[in-house]
Amino acid sequence: MIEIVDLYKYYGERRAVGPLSFSIEAGEIVGLLGLNGAGKTTTLRILACDLLPSSGSVRVNGLDVVESPHEVRSLIGYLPDTPPLYGEMTVRAYLHFAARLRGLSKASADKRVPEVLEATGLAEVQDQLIASLSHGYKQRVGIAQAIVHGPKLLVLDEPISGLDPVQIVEMRELLRGLKGEHTILLSSHILGEISETCDRILVIREGQIAASGTEAELSSKLLKNQRVEVTV
Ligand code: ATP
């Protein structure tokens, strides 16, 4: 579903990412774990066709993000680190707007939005203004807008960050539930936030993969004193 080979991204002279290579199979839920500034957001923005790579190859379902951004965007649901939610809109109106923005006809959006409200646990707050919602519900709205066009791949930038313990449990359940229909890549800077949710974790440090594996494999690497700098 994702194949990244020798990706580099420079901001001016500064290398933010690279050399970075990894792949993700369809149906996996994978965590991209790293400290602030490790290159997570840059990598996810390139996948979401929001930023051009400096060099290297990034493919989604076999399509190159530089050559076929339009097609790639239709395959991806993207939750940015600060999603552009419109506080003065109701949840339902916003999702309808997001659906139309992604090319659904009015009739398709009318059918799809109630399904998405149900799938993300937002049905009960659908008539509330987004500004009035808790952070946990706002994150759900962010996930809902990401899945509204039925993408195969979800790219979620720190979906669990800043949630309280109850909201974290609810978000984990939501993500595991979405796994049936979507391949998911999500970022975090805290291992404990994502270890239960993800099948596999990629540790990114200074724009490169420093370690990868299940939580158990990463823990055993830590025990063997390999340098895996993560916040646990
Ligand atoms: P965080 O968790 O803080 O969001 P991150 O792992 O997502 O961090 P990035 O945001 O991808 O990391 O940043 C990687 C590096 O690139 C950092 O050193 C950052 O300062 C730099 N960087 C990111 N965006 C820009 C930009 N627009 N211009 C210049 N440098 C940037």
Side-chain angles (χ1 to χ4, degrees), residues 11 14 16 35-42 158:
Y11 294 107
R14 183 184 174 82
L35 299 174
N36 290 341
K40 306 180 295 296
T41 295
T42 299
E158 308 221 10

Side-chain angles (χ1 to χ4, degrees), residues 9-12 14-17 32-45 51 81 157-158 187-189 204 206-207:
K9 177 65 187 178
Y10 286 86
Y11 294 107
R14 183 184 174 82
R15 178 173 53 81
V17 165
L32 188 61
L33 178 71
L35 299 174
N36 290 341
K40 306 180 295 296
T41 295
T42 299
T43 304
L44 300 188
R45 285 184 65 197
L51 195 64
D81 52 357
D157 202 346
E158 308 221 10
S187 71
S188 175
H189 54 274
I204 184 169
E206 294 176 6

Side-chain angles (χ1 to χ4, degrees), residues 153-175:
L153 172 65
L154 294 184
V155 172
L156 310 176
D157 202 346
E158 308 221 10
I160 301 175
S161 175
L163 300 181
D164 70 29
V166 173
Q167 292 167 343
I168 288 176
V169 171
E170 289 171 352
M171 181 58 76
R172 280 183 185 145
E173 279 172 17
L174 173 57
L175 294 173

